Amino acid sequence: APDAGLLVTAAVRFDRLALEDGETMVILAKSDMSGWTLELHDPPGAGGAELRLGVFVGDGYRYATVPADWVLDEAGGHFIIGSYNGNGPVRLWVDNDSGSVVGEDATGGVVNNDSLLLLGADPQGDAPPRYHFDGAIQRAAVLSWDSP
């Protein structure tokens, strides 16, 4: 919906957290130069993966991020919640904790697109999906969220 945010949840188990420099693994996404994505990403030159929710607002993505090795492990499952209400910070919780998360502020709705919502991969319009998830996704949900 125009000027709306979103609430995303996912119950996941990661088979690997060590990513190559610049590598991405998508949990759930409706991204394609707009939309949003919940993913594990290793920023080039940063030295480690981070879990992040990205929402495309205005002219670019705004993120909530947390270093993966601070909140995730490969031994068990995790419940992840990400949100953006259309006005304020992008938020992220891992196993009901947001203490280490850094969220960028944004104002405006998430820019929508015609790409499919994909579980475990990143949509690329007519091209094959990329950034496949390595693990198990037990459940996921997405809700539209209008700001008050």
Side-chain angles (χ1 to χ4, degrees), residues 34-78:
S34 59
W36 55 271
T37 183
L38 179 61
E39 62 192 18
L40 189 66
H41 174 71
D42 189 339
E50 61 187 21
L51 181 67
R52 68 185 188 177
L53 171 68
V55 295
F56 198 98
V57 176
D59 61 354
Y61 282 98
R62 309 296 188 264
Y63 293 96
T65 62
V66 63
D69 60 356
W70 291 10
V71 295
L72 301 173
D73 60 53
E74 296 167 5
H78 298 282

Side-chain angles (χ1 to χ4, degrees), residues 52-114:
R52 68 185 188 177
L53 171 68
V55 295
F56 198 98
V57 176
D59 61 354
Y61 282 98
R62 309 296 188 264
Y63 293 96
T65 62
V66 63
D69 60 356
W70 291 10
V71 295
L72 301 173
D73 60 53
E74 296 167 5
H78 298 282
F79 187 64
I80 301 166
I81 302 169
S83 72
Y84 170 67
N85 73 357
N87 184 18
V90 182
R91 298 178 180 261
L92 189 62
W93 293 263
V94 179
D95 299 326
N96 210 28
D97 184 7
S98 65
S100 303
V101 175
V102 175
E104 292 181 71
D105 282 330
T107 301
V110 176
V111 177
N112 205 354
N113 60 40
D114 292 331

